[in-house]
Amino acid sequence: MRTLAAVCLTALLCAGPASAEDFWSGSKSSLKAATAAVGTQALGEYEAAERAASEAWERLPFAARRAMFVSRKAALYGDYERRPSNVFAPGEPLITYVEPVGFGYRKAGDTYTFEGTIDFAIKKRSGEVLGEQKAFQAYSLSTHARAREFFLNLTVSLSGAPPGDYVLVFTLNDTVRRASTEVEQPFTIQGEAVQTP
């Protein structure tokens, strides 16, 4: 019995320079190699898709892909909670989530910067401007990649505005491409509830 165990052990030791991983898992190394090859191919496909997306981005006009009244400020891109209604109580702040697309980049070394300003206006539904402010907010971001997942939280408070129907207009100004786009949002400030005796 001891002789047989010794022969088996000798056979294993003389079988070649297999690693413990190869011994215990059989074809695990060849599986790793195949997985690595698939991963490399997928990464190449992903990078090709990224290049295609960048080329398409350059052809996009500067615009807002998403713009909506929201219930709260977003913490990150896509983290919006659409408000169920565009009717606001008197004094309630108007919070807007916006995703600009097609903005330009300024390159310096290996850094890409995009920046701009935002104007706003409050209008009657007829188009009459009741109030406006130029460059009420500015933004700027520098990264080592051409970041495209960018969003804005825009908040306007209208204390003292009488009940009625209005339009909130944001003008986004891309200072790199020297382009602008407007976001119009109709809204209503509701009147005081009527008390019945």
Side-chain angles (χ1 to χ4, degrees):
M1 192 68 148
R2 287 183 184 174
T3 305
L4 180 59
V7 170
C8 289
L9 181 57
T10 303
L12 286 173
L13 292 174
C14 296
S19 69
E21 180 180 84
D22 291 335
F23 174 74
W24 293 112
S25 61
S27 61
K28 192 168 183 183
S29 288
S30 60
L31 180 61
K32 275 188 176 178
T35 303
V38 170
T40 301
Q41 179 184 351
L43 181 59
E45 292 170 358
Y46 178 79
E47 288 175 344
E50 278 284 300
R51 286 191 296 274
S54 290
E55 290 168 8
W57 184 273
E58 292 301 318
R59 296 191 301 271
L60 275 175
F62 181 53
R65 178 169 61 174
R66 290 187 183 87
M68 67 193 82
F69 287 122
V70 290
S71 301
R72 57 170 174 77
K73 290 184 178 181
L76 46 84
Y77 182 84
D79 174 45
Y80 57 83
E81 186 178 306
R82 185 187 293 271
R83 199 173 189 280
S85 166
N86 68 342
V87 178
F88 293 82
E92 184 179 1
L94 283 62
I95 306 171
T96 298
Y97 173 88
V98 181
E99 290 179 5
V101 294
F103 45 82
Y105 305 90
R106 186 174 56 254
K107 192 171 188 301
D110 65 346
T111 302
Y112 297 89
T113 300
F114 58 90
E115 59 189 14
T117 62
I118 302 145
D119 312 329
F120 85 90
I122 302 295
K123 299 180 179 181
K124 287 185 176 179
R125 296 284 173 97
S126 63
E128 178 189 349
V129 177
L130 301 174
E132 59 185 349
Q133 184 176 339
K134 300 292 184 184
F136 96 102
Q137 189 168 323
Y139 61 88
S140 177
L141 184 64
S142 297
T143 66
H144 292 289
R146 293 184 182 191
R148 293 188 296 270
E149 292 188 344
F150 176 66
F151 71 97
L152 296 164
N153 284 314
L154 305 174
T155 304
V156 173
S157 295
L158 300 177
S159 56
D165 297 324
Y166 302 93
V167 180
L168 171 60
V169 182
F170 288 114
T171 303
L172 312 182
N173 306 297
D174 178 349
T175 56
V176 176
R177 277 196 176 174
R178 299 181 185 275
S180 296
T181 188
E182 283 192 352
V183 172
E184 291 194 356
Q185 297 175 280
F187 70 97
T188 298
I189 296 178
Q190 62 188 166
E192 297 292 336
V194 178
Q195 299 283 335
T196 56

